[in-house]
Amino acid sequence: MIQELNDAQREAVEHDGGPLLVLAGAGSGKTRVLTARVAHLIEHRNVPPGRIMAVTFTNRAASEMRRRVTNILGCEPAGLWMGTFHSVSARLLRREAHRIGFTPQFTIYDEDDRLSLIRRLLKDGGYSPKAYRPAAIQYVVSQAKNRLVSPSELREQAEDDVQRVAAEIYDVMGRVLREANAMDFDDLLLHPLTLFRDYPDRLTRYQAHFQSVLVDEFQDTNRAQYLLVKQIAEKNRDICVVGDDDQSIYGWRGAEVRNMYDFQRDFSDAQLVRLEENYRSTSVILDTANEVISENMNRLGKTLFTSRVGGDLVVVTATADEGDEAEWVLSEIVENVTKRFCEYKDFAILYRTNAQSRPFEDVFRRNVIPYQVVGSVSFYARREIRDLVAYLRLVVNPADDQAFIRAVQSPRRGVGKTSLAFVGRMSVAWNRSFFSTASVADRMPELQPRARSVLLDFVRMIERLREESREASAATLLESIIEVTDYENYLAEEGLDGADRIENVRALLDGAAEWSEEEDPEDPSSPTERYLTAAALTTSADHAEGDPEGVTLMTAHMAKGLEWPVVFMTGMEDGLFPLSRSMETQEGGEEERRLAYVGITRAQDRLYLSWARARRRSGQLMPGMPSRFLDALPPGLIEERRTSSVFGDFAKAAASVPVGWDALSTVNDENESQDSPRYVRGERVRHRKFGSGQIVDVSGKGRHLKVVVSFDEDEVGPRTLLAAYAGLERDWESA
DNA sequence: ATCCTGCAATTTTTT
DNA sequence: ATTGCAGGAT
């Protein structure tokens, strides 16, 4: 059943035989068009699902689209190549791996793996990670890859030392990754291009295979991504790209809006369809959005309209600080829920940076309001999860040196820096993996006898697991890993912290169990390999923490493509939104404006904007001025408010701030006692994990403030906590 | 030589 | 919250 479509939407859905560019404004039914088109291809043009490639940018968007296509068709479209660019590429590369010097078991290195690899390579090359920050090197290399710049080209272009070193690391890293049978995120997009260049018959095959190609969020594609879909679609020329230049917010990741112009040049017969009717927002909200975006110079230009004329005014509120802001948001939500019969899940709180979620979480928890945070700390980033995944990776791909380095040291088994460094040197000398080098440790008299036997035991253990892996699912394999490493005991020895981690391990097993069941005959890779692919490509953004029926908290970036009846855009201060770092270039400035536009257009019925007169950033109290995006708003569309705290009710403002920030100490020492919440010996506090307790000692200042808390729970006892990270609250109940 | 403790740095946005 | 480093204990 195809839902009702307007003329432009129908044109895009049913357009047959040729390239199609859909300029889809915010809320114009873009996802509906894409899903309807996929369903249309399958149902009415008899295209087998396995010959359709539909790529999106986030896993969320992909699963949403799959859900909706399933809904329209009434059954799961088996074999459909639908997913993120990275996951679709990974699937393709697993089949073709051997042609480009990999095995189908190749590992995907995530950002953390790559960063620690860069650190290792810097040291091997004799560069100090202090002088050449790995993060900076990684950024330069990644930008180069995204722009299809080779190591030698980067070296030629290099303007400073960092870039020269980056070029060298880029060069070395390419070889090291290949030897480790591993690819990083950028490689997933680049290797298909290499494959097609070196094996034109492969390109011909995929060109013939894919009858139809669809691309969502086309404005966010980088050069490699565009070339990939362009090449695949060049033969059949049935390619449909959907995008909105006003919502291009990933320039920092290499996205080039230019691809939208190039599409029209490369496919000169491309049909252009504009979706300009907005079905989401009231005209008040839409006019506000248009006002904000209209100040940008570089636009393709389009006019959005809505039939939902009028609507509640946009509320712009000045608050005292981030705690006051959070309390104000809370009170508006509570009022809306009681008076307007909204549900908590109708609300979203958007912010520029992840760090801003904290005050909201504190206030919601204190008032027992259900909420979910999307994308703060990734499940897969936790130490215990990374440890176990490292074992899994090593079992599947023995050349994965990063996995070896991690697994062999955790749990501690007596292999330390020195032994590991020696194995590393030998592995470079012999041009073999760490694992294979370790397997002949008995022939290395330079190693301590103890290290020798430990390494051999470790190698044997992994090999036994590899034997087992032929039969076993990812979940069973993980269970074996946990058993032979005695991992739960290792965690249990860490005390209460460890108990929490054991819970996470159980969750990992549950997640892996689901993967083991699915089987896809089209796909040559084993369930375990596919599980690892998913684990590597699943980011924090895919996992919401908390109550799915509650208020949603996320960054404005994450919100793209989503909508809520009521949206709060918070932290609307100059320097924060727009972020000052981004304002260094004109490009960056325009992108911030587009980000604001994205945020505003998420709202269906009501939009709130708020800013704080002062805000603690990295433990420092910073004065704030309203965002320049607020200046542009026409008076007729907005209602200005301020919280009572703004009128000098400092006691309330100070009390509303989570304890733990000794904020003013560096700004103004005299006012310290007056304005900054601080810890007092004897005060009762509560910790998320450890429960309630009493402060017995305080030391340090600013962001280094430390407190010793004697917790009531006997198992926990006294603990020293870094206030800035502990997230302590005042214990109101027992106060 | 390994491991433990304490200190410092990290975070703007994400695959 | 995690990681890596330095220095001291084992």
Side-chain angles (χ1 to χ4, degrees), chain A residues 269-285:
Chain A
D269 54 334
Q271 173 121 16
L272 177 70
V273 173
R274 288 169 190 269
L275 302 182
E276 292 177 307
E277 177 161 11
N278 174 295
Y279 293 97
R280 180 183 293 151
S281 313
T282 66
S283 68
V284 166
I285 291 168

Side-chain angles (χ1 to χ4, degrees), chain A residues 243-527:
Chain A
D244 178 2
D245 57 317
D246 287 335
Q247 294 189 65
S248 161
I249 54 175
Y250 287 103
W252 50 275
R253 220 172 73 182
E256 296 185 28
V257 188
R258 171 166 72 105
N259 291 337
M260 297 186 78
Y261 307 99
D262 287 358
F263 182 83
Q264 289 177 288
R265 190 198 62 199
D266 296 339
F267 297 93
S268 53
D269 54 334
Q271 173 121 16
L272 177 70
V273 173
R274 288 169 190 269
L275 302 182
E276 292 177 307
E277 177 161 11
N278 174 295
Y279 293 97
R280 180 183 293 151
S281 313
T282 66
S283 68
V284 166
I285 291 168
L286 208 55
D287 291 347
T288 305
N290 283 332
E291 203 64 49
V292 168
I293 197 69
S294 67
E295 296 196 18
N296 272 0
M297 304 310 289
N298 299 317
R299 299 181 63 205
L300 289 174
K302 63 185 163 324
T303 344
L304 278 182
F305 62 95
T306 175
S307 53
R308 295 189 59 193
V309 178
D312 291 325
L313 293 179
V314 175
V315 176
V316 179
T317 304
T319 64
D321 57 27
E322 71 274 17
D324 185 41
E325 184 182 45
E327 294 206 339
W328 167 74
V329 168
L330 173 90
S331 66
E332 283 299 322
I333 290 176
V334 170
E335 192 181 324
N336 271 289
V337 167
T338 44
K339 288 201 190 141
R340 290 168 177 258
F341 310 105
C342 298
E343 295 179 75
Y344 287 116
K345 67 170 191 303
D346 295 337
F347 298 87
I349 299 172
L350 307 182
Y351 34 76
R352 180 67 237 277
T353 66
N354 275 311
Q356 287 166 252
S357 72
R358 208 37 187 274
F360 296 103
E361 293 184 67
D362 287 340
V363 165
F364 286 161
R365 210 175 317 124
R366 209 154 54 219
N367 292 278
V368 203
I369 302 295
Y371 71 94
Q372 60 171 341
V373 189
V374 180
S376 46
V377 190
S378 168
F379 177 73
Y380 289 99
R382 289 169 223 251
R383 175 162 60 82
E384 62 279 16
I385 304 302
R386 289 193 74 88
D387 282 351
L388 292 173
V389 169
Y391 277 92
L392 211 49
R393 275 165 49 177
L394 189 58
V395 168
V396 168
N397 172 19
D400 186 343
D401 291 347
Q402 288 299 119
F404 180 93
I405 292 168
R406 182 163 195 123
V408 81
Q409 294 184 102
S410 172
R412 297 255 172 235
R413 43 169 67 82
V415 176
K417 253 198 300 207
T418 317
S419 305
L420 204 52
F422 183 75
V423 172
R425 276 203 304 280
M426 296 316 285
S427 101
V428 172
W430 295 345
N431 202 19
R432 300 167 71 161
S433 68
F434 276 52
F435 184 83
S436 138
T437 307
S439 71
V440 291
D442 51 340
R443 277 181 261 155
M444 293 186 231
E446 297 90 337
L447 286 174
Q448 295 283 111
R450 194 178 128 74
R452 245 179 283 169
S453 72
V454 167
L455 282 172
L456 285 180
D457 285 348
F458 180 76
V459 167
R460 277 192 216 109
M461 178 180 86
I462 298 295
E463 268 166 357
R464 267 198 306 279
L465 288 164
R466 189 168 304 132
E467 279 304 309
E468 194 186 328
S469 74
R470 291 178 215 287
E471 320 269 295
S473 66
T476 342
L477 201 50
L478 275 172
E479 276 175 35
S480 300
I481 290 168
I482 293 164
E483 200 188 309
V484 297
T485 56
D486 204 17
Y487 201 82
E488 292 209 1
N489 265 332
Y490 158 70
L491 288 181
E493 280 167 21
E494 292 180 13
L496 209 80
D497 249 28
D500 236 52
R501 295 183 189 280
I502 289 175
E503 282 305 304
N504 291 331
V505 169
R506 303 255 155 84
L508 178 75
L509 283 173
D510 289 345
E514 283 176 34
W515 271 91
S516 314
E517 289 162 21
E518 297 169 36
E519 195 75 52
D520 179 357
E522 284 282 302
D523 199 327
S525 50
S526 74

Side-chain angles (χ1 to χ4, degrees), chain A residues 115-116 118-119 122 128-130 132-139:
Chain A
L115 211 54
S116 76
I118 287 175
R119 186 170 286 120
L122 279 170
S128 142
K130 289 240 168 76
Y132 300 97
R133 282 190 28 252
I137 303 286
Q138 138 142 306
Y139 183 77

Side-chain angles (χ1 to χ4, degrees), chain A residues 554-621:
Chain A
M554 61 168 69
T555 62
H557 279 90
M558 290 295 330
K560 190 163 59 134
L562 304 175
E563 60 184 4
W564 294 268
V566 186
V567 169
F568 293 85
M569 291 190 59
T570 64
M572 299 300 293
E573 293 128 48
D574 240 49
L576 184 61
F577 202 160
L579 202 61
S580 48
R581 279 249 345 232
S582 309
M583 300 304 287
E584 286 159 16
T585 61
Q586 145 127 25
E587 287 273 289
E590 296 216 339
E591 184 154 309
E592 291 289 304
R593 197 170 277 281
R594 292 193 293 268
L595 185 58
Y597 174 79
V598 167
I600 291 170
T601 51
R602 299 308 97 195
Q604 295 169 336
D605 307 324
R606 280 177 80 75
L607 174 66
Y608 291 89
L609 305 166
S610 63
W611 65 281
R613 226 155 254 261
R615 179 180 299 272
R616 283 146 193 89
R617 290 227 262 158
S618 322
Q620 297 246 320
L621 191 70

